[in-house]
Structure formats: structure tokens, C-alpha cells
Amino acid sequence: VSADKVVVVPQADPPAPVAALVDRATPQNLAYLIYTSGTTGRPKGVMIEHASIANLVASDLAEFALGPGDRVAQGSSPAYDSSIEETWLALAAGGTVVVLDDRVVRSGPDLLAWLQHERITVFCPPPTLLRATGCKDPRTALPDLRLLSVGGEALPEDVADLWSAGRRLENGYGPTECSVTATRCTVQAGAPITIGRPVRGNTAVVLDDELRAVPYGEVGELCLGGAGVARGYRNNEQQTAERFVQHPEHGRIYRTGDLVRQDAQGNLVYL
């Protein structure tokens, strides 16, 4: 290169110092903060720790036996806690997360074609979305779909009977305060629909207004304990103390405010 073509590049400024990261995450570190829908008009920020969501993912892996060949539809908004379970249900098993866009997830009948094209094996919708597809024969239309995990609203009997044919259908229940899914039941066509039993690592008890156990089969408040229970509400000590209670027998529990009873098989019937 001739002398008149030489370009002198000034030395770059040294990079700014980077704040040191913690050596490692601990089970008690905060994993995420999600605000509830706020039916009272005052949304509450729920603080979930790593140990709580890791417990759910581990229980999912043990229960559903997913693997690298699975393709899990991710349709929930990241602002909704069910997106956590959809995403990590796939990634923790070495499967594929297949992201639904907003148009398809709201399209009803077009959703069926998308599930077929993407060869989805695991789908976690609210029951209303299944009804909106208009599918009359899911067993034939979606041969790749082997696991349906529904939640977020009551599961109607006709939807359960239609969509349980040829695959496993799980009905899950869980407030935001208890790490997405706290209890679940495998639904069989023609059988009563319940919210089942606690996922591994969680506990569930049915208590009266004084937090005493109700007689078996009678109605009471569902109170949840174990690994899934949240740290509490962000900057809201009063409501945290009201809903997250230290029970003398059952340890730290979350009062859901939901009424349930246990059936003859020990499953929780949501009332």
C-alpha cells in the first residue's frame, strides 16, 4: 500500500468496567415477577423463586416423559405464567418450542391447520380454544398430538370427551401464587372432571374458615403448600400475610379462596 493510502485508525477507548455477576444462582433467587389479573382492581405482583418453577419443570418431566422428538406449542403471552411451563416443558426435555403468533392463536379453525403443519405433539390451551377450532375428530385430524394440558378455566364435559380420544388429556389448576400448575388430573372420556391431586413437591389441604381440616368429602377452602408456593406479593406485606399463612400442622400455605371437596378417590373437585 502506498504511503498516501495509509489510514490511521485511532485507538479505541478501553471498555467500561462490567459489574461482577453473582457466582451462581440459588434456589431462593427470584425467577420472575408476574402481576395477577387484579379482579379487585388492584393487581398484585407475585414473586416466584427458582426452586418453585424448577420443581414444576422436574415434575412435568417425570410425569409426561417428553424427549427431543417433542414439539411443544408456545401460545401463551410472556406476561402470563403458563408461558413459563410451555417453554421449559420443551427445553428441559431437549424438545422444540414452536411459537404461535397472535393471529394464529386467535384464529380458531386456522389453528388446526397450524398444529397439523407444525406436527405439534404437546399443546397447552384453555378449553375454549379447543372448542374454537371446530374440529369434529381430533384423533384423525391431529395424529401427532399426544399430550394436551388444559387450564385457566373449567373444562366442559363435551370438550373433554372429544379431545381425550387418542391422547393424554390433563386438566390443570393453579393460581399464579403457586407456580403455574399446582394440581392436575388425567381426564378420561365419560369420567367426572376434577382438578386431581397436587403435582410432585406440592401439598393440598381442604380447610374451614378457622384453618381446621374439614371432614373428608365436605366443602372447604383449598390451601396449597410445598415447593410451588410463591415468596409473596411485591411491596405488599399486608396481603402477603393474609394469603400466605404459617399453619401449625401444614407449614407455610397459600389460601386460594377457592372452594373444593375431595371425591371418593381423593381427587379435588373444584366448586
Side-chain angles (χ1 to χ4, degrees):
V1 180
S2 61
D4 61 343
K5 298 294 185 181
V6 174
V7 177
V8 178
V9 179
Q11 185 176 3
D13 294 333
V18 177
L21 298 175
V22 295
D23 290 338
R24 59 187 291 271
T26 71
Q28 287 70 45
N29 284 144
L30 195 66
Y32 62 84
L33 171 78
I34 284 186
Y35 279 80
T36 62
S37 59
T39 53
T40 62
R42 297 176 62 85
K44 304 177 293 295
V46 180
M47 299 183 289
I48 300 293
E49 297 176 349
H50 281 281
S52 296
I53 197 65
N55 176 76
L56 175 63
V57 174
S59 69
D60 285 346
L61 293 177
E63 184 68 22
F64 301 134
L66 269 63
D70 280 296
R71 296 173 60 80
V72 182
Q74 201 279 299
S76 295
S77 162
Y80 187 44
D81 64 352
S82 64
S83 66
I84 304 292
E85 188 169 21
E86 287 175 331
T87 301
W88 287 100
L89 182 63
L91 297 183
T96 302
V97 180
V98 187
V99 180
L100 272 159
D101 62 44
D102 286 345
R103 181 190 62 79
V104 173
V105 80
R106 295 187 176 97
S107 63
D110 290 344
L111 176 60
L112 194 64
W114 184 88
L115 293 168
Q116 293 167 337
H117 179 265
E118 295 292 345
R119 307 187 317 281
I120 297 300
T121 64
V122 180
F123 190 31
C124 306
T128 296
L129 194 55
L130 295 179
R131 190 187 297 281
T133 65
C135 185
K136 303 299 184 184
D137 185 7
R139 183 203 292 265
T140 302
L142 298 168
D144 294 313
L145 185 61
R146 69 180 188 88
L147 172 62
L148 269 174
S149 181
V150 301
E153 62 187 22
L155 174 61
E157 289 184 12
D158 63 323
V159 174
D161 291 346
L162 179 65
W163 285 86
S164 62
R167 62 185 52 84
R168 182 171 179 175
L169 174 60
E170 289 287 305
N171 187 40
Y173 161 89
T176 306
E177 291 87 345
C178 294
S179 305
V180 191
T181 302
T183 73
R184 58 185 166 216
C185 178
T186 302
V187 177
Q188 306 291 341
I193 298 172
T194 75
I195 58 172
R197 304 186 184 202
V199 302
R200 188 180 71 174
N202 289 0
T203 62
V205 290
V206 186
L207 306 177
D208 63 16
D209 290 342
E210 302 298 323
L211 297 182
R212 298 171 300 196
V214 302
Y216 194 89
E218 292 194 9
V219 176
E221 180 182 3
L222 176 58
C223 296
L224 300 168
V229 178
R231 181 188 295 180
Y233 298 121
R234 181 176 183 269
N235 296 335
N236 196 330
E237 294 182 2
Q238 179 179 343
Q239 282 194 302
T240 296
E242 291 172 356
R243 301 299 291 274
F244 297 87
V245 178
Q246 189 66 37
H247 194 277
E249 182 180 354
H250 303 293
R252 188 169 180 266
I253 57 174
Y254 171 71
R255 301 188 64 173
T256 68
D258 292 332
L259 297 180
V260 299
R261 63 175 175 82
Q262 286 182 286
D263 66 13
Q265 288 73 43
N267 292 310
L268 294 162
V269 179
Y270 183 87
L271 303 175

